[in-house]
Amino acid sequence: MTGGEDRQAPALPSAMTARELARWAWRQLTSMRTALVLLLLLALAAIPGSVFPQEDIDSLAVTQWKDAHPKLTPIWESLDLFSVYSSVWFSAIYILLMVSLVGCIIPRTGVYWRALRARPPRAPRHLSRLPEHASYDTEEAPEVVLERAAAVLKKRGYRVEASDGAVAAERGYLREAGNLLFHLAVLVVLVGFAVGGLFGYKGGVILLVGNGFSNNLTQYDDFAPGSLFDPSTMEDFHFSVDEFDVTWLTEGLSAGQARDFKAHLTYTETQGGETKEHALRVNHPLTIGGTDVFLIGHGYAPVITIRDGEGEIATGGPTVFLPTDQSFASFGVVKAPDASPNQIGLEGTFYPTFAMGQDEDGNLTMPYSAWGDALDPLVSMLVYTGDLGLNDGSASSVYVLDKADAEPVLNDEGRPLRLDLRPGDTVELPDDMGSVTFEGVERWNKIQISRTPGKFLALGGVVLALIGLFGSLFVRPRRVWVRARRDPEGRTLVEAARLDRSSGADPETGAEEMGAILDSLGRPARAAEGGAS
């Protein structure tokens, strides 16, 4: 980045007026060094957003992380590490960087503009002192040579200026334009992201296959609006997940993992509008107006029915279990707060393809899922009874079972009762507490819906930044001078020199261009062979 003059900061005097202090602070903020430091800080500040799950991207992953790290969770929440990009400290760096870039670019714009319009500098007095130079004699008049030199150089894309018996030419002005375009484009990118963050929104919902969704606030499981979000900008669309297909890897170390999955949607862009179909896949969103619908995850929802001691259904239907590994072994809880006489809670793991591990001696060890597909599903859960913390009015996660005031149900051996159920199995609970039935398995999809108004502005800024960067890196500013004058013998002495102003210039390329220019001027063959200089 060359977005400002790296001015040496003056020492801070012991006593300054408010105006002097403001001027000093502004010079510090708008220096190139500060802009580079802020850009580095922004990159570093974005790292936690990539390492830790974010609420506005995947609230399920955040819940799992919190459950796995209960001691770290309060610290992470106080630092806004689950919502990095909307945190105060990230926003402060972002805003300071924008201000610093503006302060860098505005003073430099005039410099770039003047450099872009500048005329070629006059020919040096001694062209022979330049690293690339040559000379030859000719019978032609100096005016003829200079006129031809101006035409040749213009044809090669040089800006030409003739004066004092010499032609000065320069090209590569777009390097300065590339510099200016790059810095302006960085601002455009930042503005695009800011517009999206202020006026857009991002939300998520878990849908069972066969269920639908309407785009209104009450339908979201989690919703993260921008600071200036207006609910009236939400498109009035509806979609339903009709089918869900998964392709599983069958060979290699990753056998049993999902290779590809897609949800077959039917949707309408407006309520009561024309029904359309779309196959929703990862990185292939459905775009409706300015809103994008993404498929970001999937899993299993065991259908478990709990009957209480009176034989009444206390809870039933599919319950979302969260995958814990790539084989889709999933953790979940089932709560029956209306069970009589005591509340009942289940906590455990669903195995799509149940298997038992073995040690070297052939002894059975821990259970696991051998395959991600539901080939031999089994749910293994512990049973709890008592107060599950659902009646005190406080918020509770559907993925966490509050066991503070609940006790594990014991089996005949005095150990915690574990239910291992396959589809269709029913187990009677002890002490006439009721029964648990594993009815079957359904699938769920994690859908993310987002509206980012400034995304095309940011994309355009990225494209412009690349164009500007290529221009500043690959456009080579160079100068050529040609002088012609009569010598004492009445012949015309032609002198030419070339100066490549870009670093890392190839000498052979410069020599080739110099030779081509001289040949176009009519340099005699003998002078070319001898390389007179």
Side-chain angles (χ1 to χ4, degrees), residues 54-76:
Q54 300 296 291
E55 282 283 2
D56 58 350
I57 297 177
D58 192 349
S59 60
L60 293 180
V62 173
T63 300
Q64 289 177 302
W65 198 96
K66 290 180 178 179
D67 293 341
H69 307 85
K71 294 183 179 179
L72 291 177
T73 294
I75 301 175
W76 263 234

Side-chain angles (χ1 to χ4, degrees), residues 89-117:
W89 51 272
F90 188 88
S91 300
I93 299 174
Y94 190 92
I95 293 172
L96 285 174
L97 177 59
M98 288 193 66
V99 173
S100 181
L101 283 174
V102 171
C104 287
I105 291 174
I106 289 178
R108 294 296 297 171
T109 301
V111 176
Y112 287 140
W113 181 250
R114 288 191 295 272
L116 187 61
R117 300 188 62 196

Side-chain angles (χ1 to χ4, degrees), residues 238-362:
H238 171 86
F239 66 84
S240 60
V241 182
D242 301 325
E243 297 180 10
F244 182 69
D245 298 330
V246 184
T247 302
W248 303 94
L249 294 171
T250 58
E251 299 178 352
L253 297 176
S254 301
Q257 299 178 14
R259 183 184 69 183
D260 184 37
F261 50 92
K262 58 184 175 181
H264 298 276
L265 308 184
T266 55
Y267 69 97
T268 58
E269 297 187 3
T270 58
Q271 293 295 330
E274 178 186 359
T275 300
K276 302 179 182 179
E277 296 182 354
H278 182 80
L280 191 64
R281 295 184 296 158
V282 174
N283 298 326
H284 291 77
L286 167 64
T287 301
I288 303 175
T291 304
D292 294 319
V293 180
F294 296 88
L295 175 63
I296 63 173
H298 63 101
Y300 291 98
V303 182
I304 298 174
T305 300
I306 299 178
R307 287 181 168 83
D308 61 16
E310 298 177 359
E312 300 293 332
I313 296 179
T315 189
T319 301
V320 172
F321 276 46
L322 303 180
T324 58
D325 58 31
Q326 293 183 337
S327 67
F328 284 86
S330 306
F331 177 83
V333 301
V334 182
K335 304 176 185 180
D338 298 327
S340 178
N342 295 313
Q343 296 180 354
I344 299 174
L346 308 177
E347 179 184 75
T349 304
F350 169 76
Y351 302 96
T353 302
F354 180 76
M356 290 294 297
Q358 293 183 348
D359 59 19
E360 297 179 353
D361 299 327

Side-chain angles (χ1 to χ4, degrees), residues 73-152:
T73 294
I75 301 175
W76 263 234
E77 288 179 335
S78 64
L79 296 175
D80 287 331
L81 293 183
F82 298 122
S83 54
V84 168
Y85 306 113
S86 59
S87 64
V88 174
W89 51 272
F90 188 88
S91 300
I93 299 174
Y94 190 92
I95 293 172
L96 285 174
L97 177 59
M98 288 193 66
V99 173
S100 181
L101 283 174
V102 171
C104 287
I105 291 174
I106 289 178
R108 294 296 297 171
T109 301
V111 176
Y112 287 140
W113 181 250
R114 288 191 295 272
L116 187 61
R117 300 188 62 196
R119 305 305 299 175
R122 300 178 63 178
R125 177 172 298 180
H126 301 288
L127 293 179
S128 60
R129 294 180 179 178
L130 294 176
E132 296 176 17
H133 64 275
S135 62
Y136 66 90
D137 296 334
T138 180
E139 298 291 342
E140 295 181 312
E143 295 79 8
V144 175
V145 174
L146 294 178
E147 184 178 352
R148 185 184 303 121
V152 167

